[in-house]
């Protein structure tokens, strides 16, 4: 217990996993917390201060699964390992144990604890004066970057860090749950010197220019990693100052509303990333996510990425061999991460080999390509060594044995032979013993504690006990176990040889790991090059069908997209309906597109698809359109749909206005602003007034490209006074008293709002719909103004009396009626299609009405 207290005190707020043989044991409050979180049995062992000590444990071989559950529940775990072997120990007292690692959400390396397609970032923040420096690293892949955060929530939204180290006065908002422990904050000079030294440089300036705040943040991150790895540093690339002005600014609300990497519900299914991801490796998927998270601003850098996939498209043979070589490429970056922390397994070495082989194949196939393939030519000699050394199917753990191939190391082979020969001798002794003792059913078995034993059935036990050279070791329900001096001696020889073989195998393994780590930088560069090629072939896949184009990204101020589509909505519609492509032109003289039209007509879809086009284009990827020309967008703001934030006590309207304020403060002339249904959360006149004022600000002061959707069709008339406002509307067709949405964006303004029709489509009872239509007609006749006070309703038709249809009146079957009206011979194909859609809508409305009545 003294040992436990000593180790526990090193990391008091982490659970202590104390290795005891084949288990990690937890004690006291740790045991109670873990037993509850893991749903495992809580027992007691010994006493402390007169009270029994609560205890629970998890088997070592299954520890990763338990760790992952604890980490996901917000625990941190200190792992206390045995530092000497129990067998052959000479000293007295407990086995020596030390903390070898602190497992925290931001410092994971095991595949079972990581998501293959996402980075796992540790973020450190430091404030100096008014500036917040940020440094983030991924222990599992070696990534290490810094930035001075202009907009902290935007940075957090982009990085989605797993763990954040920040002084408590730094507000983390939605990310507060990821806050790590309080850490010491070094001075800028100390931090710079320490970070530089970790990479063998005299000064941090060698790697780029870092602000003081960035240097401190980098120092904090590095110190923490060292703490969690018990003094070891993983292999990290040198810190890279990302700097401002390299990437499009996307704030957190924009990322959320555009569902780039995560959907509103938190899932990854219906997102832009999922719609464009055709990568075949985990590293490729992570890189693609990074490209989408940080679209570029430099047209030349964008064109370089485009050139990559354009070239692949032009050379089908190279593309095919690239794809087949990429298939099944393992996660080298993460394997290297584990090997660098002495946590690598034989399979991690196999991953190095497999990656090098794939890289060589790709280098051969793409040798003539104008692609960055130079980095693929790494580690030829290493690959040869590994392929000679590693077994065909290496075991998951080194201790399982058999990682090194026969014939690679003479000494290892000799030890193994000794071990196996003696095993042969033992196997041969069964017959011998059976004859000698006259027990045919006798067996020789290996037992974890007793070593090699003779096992005899109950019927033979008495006979065997009579022999003085047999020693009975254990009685079982159905027999007993015996040893002989001869067997004990063989057992000793075998286990010694096995131990020597295991030790030799570990030594050979360590040599191989060292050889890999000697080339870690080149290997990491090779892994990065493979990931990039994977993203390029994924982009080529999109462009292959001819329905995604290479956008023309310029320094200018154009924004012209011909026949653009929304990739996610289109995918969701697949099979049920065709997606209607739409034009979008935000040229300077018409840079503010004001879009009116009823609900469900496709306004939000149109808005988002153009914002997504800008992101895809600047990420260097193809765009789902016939053609696109985009002058670089420096900041993108999107506010789509009002989201309630009741948990934080803010009304929908308050959220809406907070977000609007952010746009008006931050947008500039090169920004793209997407505003959907502003002012919906307040009274009509209020909302209209606010929408109008925001429209004026975007038009006259900010002067950015913008798409502004509103259900206030009145705004289209007001907007006509602003020269650069270009009114558009969603085309709607009236058809047999209902509406059909054509999903087409056309110039002009919506004359009316169609709300009543939408209500009908949604299955609002027939009587209510008719009543609403009558009220609307009366209101429109009375001069269009909204009644400010109830007495104004006096002039309107009197409301229906209370006792009028309480039960639904029998309604004629509208579907049958509509069907009867159709004259197939007189329809154009387009009208026929429209009619089909209308029929389906009627059927759906009826179904909905039926369900709501039930
Ligand atoms: P609004 O914002 O006008 O209420 P949405 O953009 O939310 O409308 O679109 C409503 C639904 O209409 C979408 O979920 C989609 O199924 C369909 N839709 C929208 N745009 C299109 C389009 N261009 N082509 C086909 N269907 C579309
Ligand atoms: Mg909408």
């Amino acid at each position: 217990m003294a040992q436990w207290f000593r180790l526990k005190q090193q990391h008091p707020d982490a659970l202590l996993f104390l290795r005891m043989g084949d288990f990690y044991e937890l004690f006291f409050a740790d045991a109670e917390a873990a037993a509850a979180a893991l749903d495992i049995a809580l027992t007691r062992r010994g006493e402390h201060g007169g009270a029994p000590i609560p205890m629970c444990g998890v088997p070592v071989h299954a520890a990763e699964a338990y760790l992952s559950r604890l980490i996901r529940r917000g625990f941190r775990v200190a792992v206390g390992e045995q530092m000497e072997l129990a067998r052959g120990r000479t000293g007295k007292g407990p086995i020596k144990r030390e903390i070898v690692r602190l497992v925290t959400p931001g410092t994971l390396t095991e595949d079972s604890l990581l998501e293959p397609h996402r980075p796992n970032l540790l973020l450190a923040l430091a404030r100096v004066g008014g500036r917040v420096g940020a440094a983030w690293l991924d222990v599992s892949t070696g990534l290490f970057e810094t930035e001075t955060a202009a907009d902290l929530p935007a940075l957090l939204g982009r990085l989605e860090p797993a763990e954040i180290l920040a002084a408590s006065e730094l507000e983390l908002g939605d990310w507060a749950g990821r806050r790590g422990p309080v850490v010491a904050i070094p001075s800028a000079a100390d931090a710079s010197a320490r970070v530089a030294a970790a990479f063998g440089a005299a000064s941090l300036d060698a790697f780029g220019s870092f602000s003081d705040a960035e240097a401190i943040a980098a120092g904090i991150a590095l110190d923490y990693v060292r703490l969690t790895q018990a003094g070891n540093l993983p292999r990290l690339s040198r810190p890279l100052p990302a700097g401002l002005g390299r990437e499009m600014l996307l704030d957190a609300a924009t990322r959320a509303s555009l569902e780039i990497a995560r959907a509103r519900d938190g899932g990854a299914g219906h997102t832009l990333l999922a719609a464009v991801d055709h990568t075949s490796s985990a590293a490729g998927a992570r890189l693609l996510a990074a490209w989408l998270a940080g679209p570029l601003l430099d047209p030349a850098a964008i064109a370089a990425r485009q050139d990559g996939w354009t070239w692949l498209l032009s050379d089908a043979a190279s593309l095919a061999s690239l794809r087949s070589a990429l298939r099944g490429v393992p996660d080298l970056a993460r394997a290297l991460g584990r090997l660098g922390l002495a946590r690598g397994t034989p399979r991690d070495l196999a991953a190095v080999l497999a990656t090098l082989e794939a890289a060589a194949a790709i280098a051969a196939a793409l040798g003539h390509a104008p692609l960055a393939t130079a980095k693929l030519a790494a580690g030829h000699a290493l690959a040869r060594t590994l392929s000679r050394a590693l077994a065909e199917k290496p075991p998951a753990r080194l201790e399982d044995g058999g990682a090194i191939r026969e014939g690679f190391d003479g000494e290892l082979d000799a030890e193994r032979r000794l071990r196996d020969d003696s095993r042969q001798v033992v196997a041969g002794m069964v017959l011998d013993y059976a004859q000698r003792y006259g027990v045919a059913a006798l067996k020789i078995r290996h037992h974890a504690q007793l070593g090699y034993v003779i096992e005899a059935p109950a019927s033979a036990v008495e006979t065997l006990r009579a022999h003085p050279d047999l020693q009975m070791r254990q009685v079982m329900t159905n027999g007993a176990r015996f040893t002989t001096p001869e067997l004990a001696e063989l057992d000793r020889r075998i286990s010694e040889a096995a131990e020597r073989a295991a030790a030799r195998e570990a030594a050979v393994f360590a040599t191989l790991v060292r050889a890999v780590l000697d080339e870690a930088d080149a290997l990491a560069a090779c892994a990065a090059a493979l990931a990039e090629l994977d993203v390029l072939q994924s982009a080529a896949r999109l462009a292959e069908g001819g329905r995604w184009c290479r956008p023309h990204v310029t320094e200018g101020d154009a924004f012209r997209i011909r026949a653009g589509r929304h990739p996610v909505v289109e995918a969701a519609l697949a099979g049920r309906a065709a997606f209607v492509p739409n034009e979008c032109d935000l040229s300077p003289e018409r840079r503010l597109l004001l879009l009116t039209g009823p609900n469900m007509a496709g306004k939000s879809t149109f808005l988002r698809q153009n914002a997504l086009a800008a992101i895809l284009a600047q990420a260097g990827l193809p765009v789902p359109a016939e053609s696109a020309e985009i002058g670089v967008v420096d900041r993108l703001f999107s506010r789509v749909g009002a989201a309630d934030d009741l948990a934080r006590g803010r009304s929908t309207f308050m959220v809406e206005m907070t977000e609007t304020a952010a746009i008006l403060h931050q947008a500039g002339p090169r920004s793209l602003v997407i505003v959907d249904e502003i002012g919906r959360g307040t009274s009509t006149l209020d909302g209209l007034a606010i929408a109008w004022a925001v429209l004026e600000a975007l038009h006259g002061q900010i002067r950015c490209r913008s798409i502004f959707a509103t259900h206030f069709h009145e705004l289209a008339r007001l907007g006509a006074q602003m020269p650069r406002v270009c009114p558009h509307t969603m085309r709607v067709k009236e058809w047999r008293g209902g509406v059909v949405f054509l999903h087409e964006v056309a110039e002009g303004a919506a004359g009316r709002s169609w709300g009543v029709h939408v209500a009908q489509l949604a299955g609002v009872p027939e009587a209510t719909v008719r009543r609403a239509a009558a009220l609307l007609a009366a209101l429109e006749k009375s001069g269009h103004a909204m009644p400010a006070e109830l007495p104004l309703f006096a002039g309107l038709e009197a409301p229906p009396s209370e006792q009028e249809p309480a039960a639904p009146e029998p309604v004629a079957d509208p579907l049958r009626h509509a069907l009867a009206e159709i004259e197939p011979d007189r329809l154009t194909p387009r009208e026929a299609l429209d009619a089909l859609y209308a029929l389906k809508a009627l059927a759906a409305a009826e179904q909905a009405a039926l369900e709501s009545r039930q």
Side-chain angles (χ1 to χ4, degrees), residues 446-487:
H446 190 261
H447 184 268
Q449 266 98 53
L450 304 177
Y452 281 98
V453 290
I454 297 173
E455 256 180 41
S459 57
V461 169
E462 277 316 303
T463 327
L464 292 183
R465 287 186 73 161
H467 289 277
D469 53 338
L470 282 174
Q471 190 195 352
M472 190 164 83
R473 300 294 305 271
Q474 202 174 38
V475 182
M476 303 171 296
T477 46
N478 56 351
R481 294 186 170 127
F482 298 85
T483 51
T484 66
E486 189 184 13
L487 207 49

Short mmCIF file of all heavy atoms in Angstrom, two decimals, residues 446-487:
data_model
loop_
_atom_site.label_atom_id
_atom_site.label_comp_id
_atom_site.label_asym_id
_atom_site.label_seq_id
_atom_site.Cartn_x
_atom_site.Cartn_y
_atom_site.Cartn_z
N HIS A 446 1.19 -28.75 -20.04
CA HIS A 446 1.88 -27.60 -19.48
C HIS A 446 0.90 -26.77 -18.70
O HIS A 446 -0.19 -26.46 -19.16
CB HIS A 446 2.55 -26.74 -20.56
CG HIS A 446 3.46 -25.70 -19.97
ND1 HIS A 446 3.07 -24.41 -19.80
CD2 HIS A 446 4.72 -25.80 -19.48
CE1 HIS A 446 4.06 -23.73 -19.22
NE2 HIS A 446 5.07 -24.55 -19.02
N HIS A 447 1.26 -26.44 -17.48
CA HIS A 447 0.36 -25.71 -16.60
C HIS A 447 1.03 -24.41 -16.20
O HIS A 447 2.24 -24.38 -15.93
CB HIS A 447 0.09 -26.58 -15.36
CG HIS A 447 -0.89 -25.98 -14.41
ND1 HIS A 447 -0.50 -25.19 -13.38
CD2 HIS A 447 -2.25 -26.03 -14.38
CE1 HIS A 447 -1.57 -24.77 -12.72
NE2 HIS A 447 -2.65 -25.27 -13.33
N ALA A 448 0.24 -23.29 -16.22
CA ALA A 448 0.83 -21.96 -16.03
C ALA A 448 1.68 -21.87 -14.77
O ALA A 448 2.79 -21.32 -14.80
CB ALA A 448 -0.26 -20.91 -16.02
N GLN A 449 1.19 -22.40 -13.63
CA GLN A 449 1.98 -22.27 -12.40
C GLN A 449 2.91 -23.47 -12.14
O GLN A 449 4.02 -23.30 -11.67
CB GLN A 449 1.04 -22.12 -11.19
CG GLN A 449 0.78 -20.68 -10.81
CD GLN A 449 -0.56 -20.24 -11.39
OE1 GLN A 449 -1.57 -20.88 -11.19
NE2 GLN A 449 -0.55 -19.15 -12.14
N LEU A 450 2.44 -24.67 -12.47
CA LEU A 450 3.20 -25.86 -12.08
C LEU A 450 4.24 -26.27 -13.12
O LEU A 450 5.08 -27.11 -12.85
CB LEU A 450 2.23 -27.03 -11.84
CG LEU A 450 1.13 -26.77 -10.81
CD1 LEU A 450 0.20 -27.97 -10.72
CD2 LEU A 450 1.74 -26.47 -9.44
N GLY A 451 4.17 -25.67 -14.33
CA GLY A 451 5.07 -26.13 -15.40
C GLY A 451 4.55 -27.43 -15.99
O GLY A 451 3.34 -27.69 -15.99
N TYR A 452 5.49 -28.30 -16.49
CA TYR A 452 5.06 -29.56 -17.08
C TYR A 452 4.65 -30.54 -15.99
O TYR A 452 5.37 -30.71 -15.01
CB TYR A 452 6.16 -30.16 -17.94
CG TYR A 452 6.22 -29.48 -19.28
CD1 TYR A 452 7.15 -28.47 -19.52
CD2 TYR A 452 5.32 -29.83 -20.29
CE1 TYR A 452 7.19 -27.83 -20.74
CE2 TYR A 452 5.36 -29.19 -21.51
CZ TYR A 452 6.29 -28.18 -21.74
OH TYR A 452 6.31 -27.55 -22.93
N VAL A 453 3.47 -31.13 -16.13
CA VAL A 453 2.97 -32.08 -15.13
C VAL A 453 2.37 -33.29 -15.82
O VAL A 453 2.00 -33.23 -17.00
CB VAL A 453 1.86 -31.45 -14.25
CG1 VAL A 453 2.43 -30.41 -13.33
CG2 VAL A 453 0.73 -30.88 -15.11
N ILE A 454 2.31 -34.35 -15.05
CA ILE A 454 1.59 -35.54 -15.51
C ILE A 454 0.16 -35.39 -15.02
O ILE A 454 -0.06 -35.11 -13.84
CB ILE A 454 2.20 -36.82 -14.91
CG1 ILE A 454 3.64 -36.95 -15.40
CG2 ILE A 454 1.36 -38.04 -15.27
CD1 ILE A 454 4.39 -38.09 -14.73
N GLU A 455 -0.79 -35.56 -15.91
CA GLU A 455 -2.18 -35.51 -15.49
C GLU A 455 -2.76 -36.92 -15.58
O GLU A 455 -2.65 -37.56 -16.63
CB GLU A 455 -2.99 -34.58 -16.39
CG GLU A 455 -3.28 -33.23 -15.72
CD GLU A 455 -4.08 -32.32 -16.63
OE1 GLU A 455 -5.02 -32.81 -17.31
OE2 GLU A 455 -3.74 -31.14 -16.66
N ALA A 456 -3.35 -37.35 -14.48
CA ALA A 456 -3.91 -38.71 -14.49
C ALA A 456 -5.36 -38.66 -14.07
O ALA A 456 -5.74 -37.84 -13.24
CB ALA A 456 -3.13 -39.59 -13.53
N PRO A 457 -6.19 -39.54 -14.63
CA PRO A 457 -7.61 -39.56 -14.26
C PRO A 457 -7.77 -40.11 -12.84
O PRO A 457 -6.87 -40.78 -12.31
CB PRO A 457 -8.24 -40.51 -15.28
CG PRO A 457 -7.12 -41.35 -15.77
CD PRO A 457 -5.88 -40.53 -15.67
N ALA A 458 -8.93 -39.85 -12.23
CA ALA A 458 -9.18 -40.22 -10.83
C ALA A 458 -8.93 -41.71 -10.59
O ALA A 458 -8.34 -42.10 -9.57
CB ALA A 458 -10.61 -39.86 -10.45
N SER A 459 -9.29 -42.53 -11.58
CA SER A 459 -9.15 -43.98 -11.41
C SER A 459 -7.69 -44.41 -11.21
O SER A 459 -7.41 -45.44 -10.63
CB SER A 459 -9.75 -44.68 -12.63
OG SER A 459 -9.09 -44.22 -13.79
N ALA A 460 -6.75 -43.58 -11.72
CA ALA A 460 -5.35 -43.98 -11.67
C ALA A 460 -4.58 -43.34 -10.52
O ALA A 460 -3.42 -43.65 -10.28
CB ALA A 460 -4.68 -43.63 -13.00
N VAL A 461 -5.24 -42.40 -9.82
CA VAL A 461 -4.52 -41.61 -8.82
C VAL A 461 -3.89 -42.50 -7.75
O VAL A 461 -2.72 -42.36 -7.42
CB VAL A 461 -5.45 -40.55 -8.19
CG1 VAL A 461 -4.79 -39.92 -6.98
CG2 VAL A 461 -5.79 -39.49 -9.22
N GLU A 462 -4.67 -43.48 -7.26
CA GLU A 462 -4.15 -44.34 -6.20
C GLU A 462 -2.90 -45.08 -6.64
O GLU A 462 -1.90 -45.14 -5.93
CB GLU A 462 -5.23 -45.33 -5.74
CG GLU A 462 -6.21 -44.73 -4.73
CD GLU A 462 -5.51 -43.91 -3.64
OE1 GLU A 462 -4.63 -44.46 -2.95
OE2 GLU A 462 -5.83 -42.70 -3.51
N THR A 463 -2.94 -45.64 -7.86
CA THR A 463 -1.79 -46.36 -8.41
C THR A 463 -0.54 -45.47 -8.42
O THR A 463 0.55 -45.87 -8.00
CB THR A 463 -2.07 -46.77 -9.88
OG1 THR A 463 -3.46 -47.03 -10.02
CG2 THR A 463 -1.22 -47.94 -10.30
N LEU A 464 -0.72 -44.25 -8.93
CA LEU A 464 0.43 -43.37 -9.10
C LEU A 464 0.99 -42.91 -7.75
O LEU A 464 2.19 -42.73 -7.60
CB LEU A 464 0.05 -42.15 -9.95
CG LEU A 464 -0.28 -42.48 -11.43
CD1 LEU A 464 -0.57 -41.21 -12.19
CD2 LEU A 464 0.88 -43.22 -12.08
N ARG A 465 0.10 -42.71 -6.77
CA ARG A 465 0.59 -42.23 -5.47
C ARG A 465 1.53 -43.23 -4.82
O ARG A 465 2.34 -42.88 -3.98
CB ARG A 465 -0.60 -41.97 -4.54
CG ARG A 465 -1.35 -40.72 -4.95
CD ARG A 465 -2.42 -40.37 -3.96
NE ARG A 465 -1.82 -39.83 -2.74
CZ ARG A 465 -2.51 -39.11 -1.86
NH1 ARG A 465 -3.78 -38.88 -2.06
NH2 ARG A 465 -1.93 -38.66 -0.78
N ALA A 466 1.42 -44.48 -5.25
CA ALA A 466 2.26 -45.51 -4.67
C ALA A 466 3.72 -45.40 -5.13
O ALA A 466 4.62 -45.93 -4.51
CB ALA A 466 1.72 -46.88 -5.04
N HIS A 467 3.95 -44.70 -6.25
CA HIS A 467 5.33 -44.58 -6.76
C HIS A 467 6.08 -43.45 -6.06
O HIS A 467 5.64 -42.30 -6.10
CB HIS A 467 5.29 -44.31 -8.27
CG HIS A 467 4.86 -45.48 -9.07
ND1 HIS A 467 5.72 -46.50 -9.43
CD2 HIS A 467 3.65 -45.84 -9.55
CE1 HIS A 467 5.08 -47.42 -10.10
NE2 HIS A 467 3.79 -47.04 -10.19
N PRO A 468 7.20 -43.76 -5.43
CA PRO A 468 7.93 -42.75 -4.67
C PRO A 468 8.54 -41.64 -5.55
O PRO A 468 8.71 -40.51 -5.09
CB PRO A 468 9.04 -43.55 -3.97
CG PRO A 468 9.17 -44.82 -4.75
CD PRO A 468 7.84 -45.10 -5.38
N ASP A 469 8.85 -41.95 -6.83
CA ASP A 469 9.47 -40.90 -7.67
C ASP A 469 8.44 -39.92 -8.21
O ASP A 469 8.79 -38.94 -8.85
CB ASP A 469 10.27 -41.53 -8.81
CG ASP A 469 9.42 -42.50 -9.61
OD1 ASP A 469 8.41 -42.98 -9.04
OD2 ASP A 469 9.74 -42.73 -10.78
N LEU A 470 7.17 -40.16 -7.98
CA LEU A 470 6.13 -39.23 -8.43
C LEU A 470 5.70 -38.36 -7.26
O LEU A 470 5.42 -38.87 -6.17
CB LEU A 470 4.92 -40.00 -8.95
CG LEU A 470 5.05 -40.57 -10.35
CD1 LEU A 470 3.83 -41.43 -10.67
CD2 LEU A 470 5.20 -39.45 -11.35
N GLN A 471 5.64 -37.07 -7.51
CA GLN A 471 5.20 -36.18 -6.44
C GLN A 471 3.86 -35.60 -6.82
O GLN A 471 3.71 -35.02 -7.91
CB GLN A 471 6.24 -35.06 -6.26
CG GLN A 471 5.99 -34.25 -5.01
CD GLN A 471 6.78 -32.96 -5.05
OE1 GLN A 471 7.61 -32.73 -5.93
NE2 GLN A 471 6.52 -32.08 -4.10
N MET A 472 2.85 -35.75 -5.95
CA MET A 472 1.55 -35.20 -6.29
C MET A 472 1.53 -33.71 -5.99
O MET A 472 1.91 -33.27 -4.92
CB MET A 472 0.44 -35.91 -5.52
CG MET A 472 -0.91 -35.50 -6.07
SD MET A 472 -2.25 -36.58 -5.58
CE MET A 472 -2.61 -35.90 -3.99
N ARG A 473 1.10 -32.93 -6.98
CA ARG A 473 1.12 -31.47 -6.81
C ARG A 473 -0.27 -30.89 -6.61
O ARG A 473 -0.45 -29.86 -6.01
CB ARG A 473 1.76 -30.79 -8.04
CG ARG A 473 3.21 -31.20 -8.30
CD ARG A 473 4.13 -30.72 -7.17
NE ARG A 473 4.05 -29.32 -6.93
CZ ARG A 473 4.79 -28.41 -7.55
NH1 ARG A 473 5.70 -28.79 -8.43
NH2 ARG A 473 4.66 -27.13 -7.28
N GLN A 474 -1.26 -31.53 -7.23
CA GLN A 474 -2.59 -30.93 -7.19
C GLN A 474 -3.66 -31.99 -7.39
O GLN A 474 -3.51 -32.86 -8.25
CB GLN A 474 -2.70 -29.91 -8.32
CG GLN A 474 -3.76 -28.87 -8.10
CD GLN A 474 -3.71 -27.81 -9.19
OE1 GLN A 474 -3.46 -28.12 -10.34
NE2 GLN A 474 -3.95 -26.57 -8.81
N VAL A 475 -4.74 -31.91 -6.57
CA VAL A 475 -5.85 -32.83 -6.75
C VAL A 475 -6.99 -32.07 -7.43
O VAL A 475 -7.30 -30.96 -7.03
CB VAL A 475 -6.35 -33.37 -5.40
CG1 VAL A 475 -7.50 -34.37 -5.61
CG2 VAL A 475 -5.20 -34.04 -4.66
N MET A 476 -7.52 -32.69 -8.45
CA MET A 476 -8.66 -32.06 -9.13
C MET A 476 -9.90 -32.93 -8.94
O MET A 476 -9.80 -34.04 -8.43
CB MET A 476 -8.35 -31.92 -10.62
CG MET A 476 -7.08 -31.14 -10.89
SD MET A 476 -6.63 -31.22 -12.62
CE MET A 476 -6.28 -32.94 -12.83
N THR A 477 -11.05 -32.45 -9.37
CA THR A 477 -12.27 -33.22 -9.18
C THR A 477 -12.20 -34.53 -9.95
O THR A 477 -12.67 -35.56 -9.49
CB THR A 477 -13.51 -32.45 -9.67
OG1 THR A 477 -13.20 -31.91 -10.95
CG2 THR A 477 -13.90 -31.37 -8.70
N ASN A 478 -11.54 -34.49 -11.14
CA ASN A 478 -11.55 -35.69 -11.97
C ASN A 478 -10.16 -36.32 -12.12
O ASN A 478 -9.88 -37.00 -13.08
CB ASN A 478 -12.11 -35.35 -13.34
CG ASN A 478 -11.32 -34.23 -13.98
OD1 ASN A 478 -10.47 -33.63 -13.32
ND2 ASN A 478 -11.58 -33.96 -15.24
N GLY A 479 -9.27 -36.02 -11.17
CA GLY A 479 -7.93 -36.62 -11.28
C GLY A 479 -6.93 -35.87 -10.44
O GLY A 479 -7.30 -35.17 -9.49
N ALA A 480 -5.62 -36.02 -10.81
CA ALA A 480 -4.59 -35.31 -10.05
C ALA A 480 -3.40 -35.02 -10.95
O ALA A 480 -3.27 -35.59 -12.03
CB ALA A 480 -4.16 -36.15 -8.86
N ARG A 481 -2.54 -34.07 -10.50
CA ARG A 481 -1.36 -33.71 -11.27
C ARG A 481 -0.12 -34.11 -10.48
O ARG A 481 -0.03 -33.87 -9.27
CB ARG A 481 -1.34 -32.21 -11.53
CG ARG A 481 -2.49 -31.77 -12.43
CD ARG A 481 -2.37 -30.30 -12.81
NE ARG A 481 -3.35 -30.01 -13.84
CZ ARG A 481 -4.24 -29.01 -13.77
NH1 ARG A 481 -4.24 -28.19 -12.74
NH2 ARG A 481 -5.08 -28.82 -14.76
N PHE A 482 0.85 -34.67 -11.19
CA PHE A 482 2.10 -35.13 -10.56
C PHE A 482 3.30 -34.56 -11.30
O PHE A 482 3.21 -34.24 -12.49
CB PHE A 482 2.20 -36.66 -10.64
CG PHE A 482 1.09 -37.38 -9.93
CD1 PHE A 482 -0.13 -37.62 -10.57
CD2 PHE A 482 1.26 -37.83 -8.62
CE1 PHE A 482 -1.15 -38.28 -9.92
CE2 PHE A 482 0.24 -38.49 -7.97
CZ PHE A 482 -0.97 -38.72 -8.61
N THR A 483 4.41 -34.49 -10.59
CA THR A 483 5.66 -34.20 -11.31
C THR A 483 6.69 -35.27 -10.93
O THR A 483 6.55 -35.95 -9.93
CB THR A 483 6.27 -32.84 -10.94
OG1 THR A 483 6.35 -32.76 -9.53
CG2 THR A 483 5.45 -31.71 -11.49
N THR A 484 7.74 -35.33 -11.78
CA THR A 484 8.88 -36.18 -11.47
C THR A 484 10.12 -35.28 -11.52
O THR A 484 10.08 -34.23 -12.16
CB THR A 484 9.07 -37.28 -12.53
OG1 THR A 484 9.42 -36.64 -13.77
CG2 THR A 484 7.79 -38.08 -12.73
N PRO A 485 11.20 -35.67 -10.87
CA PRO A 485 12.43 -34.85 -10.91
C PRO A 485 12.89 -34.63 -12.35
O PRO A 485 13.32 -33.55 -12.73
CB PRO A 485 13.45 -35.70 -10.14
CG PRO A 485 12.64 -36.61 -9.29
CD PRO A 485 11.35 -36.86 -10.02
N GLU A 486 12.74 -35.68 -13.13
CA GLU A 486 13.15 -35.65 -14.53
C GLU A 486 12.36 -34.57 -15.30
O GLU A 486 12.92 -33.75 -16.03
CB GLU A 486 12.83 -37.03 -15.08
CG GLU A 486 13.32 -37.37 -16.42
CD GLU A 486 12.79 -38.78 -16.79
OE1 GLU A 486 11.87 -39.29 -16.07
OE2 GLU A 486 13.27 -39.33 -17.77
N LEU A 487 11.04 -34.61 -15.07
CA LEU A 487 10.15 -33.66 -15.75
C LEU A 487 10.45 -32.23 -15.29
O LEU A 487 10.46 -31.28 -16.08
CB LEU A 487 8.70 -34.03 -15.42
CG LEU A 487 7.62 -33.67 -16.43
CD1 LEU A 487 8.01 -34.10 -17.82
CD2 LEU A 487 6.30 -34.33 -16.01
#
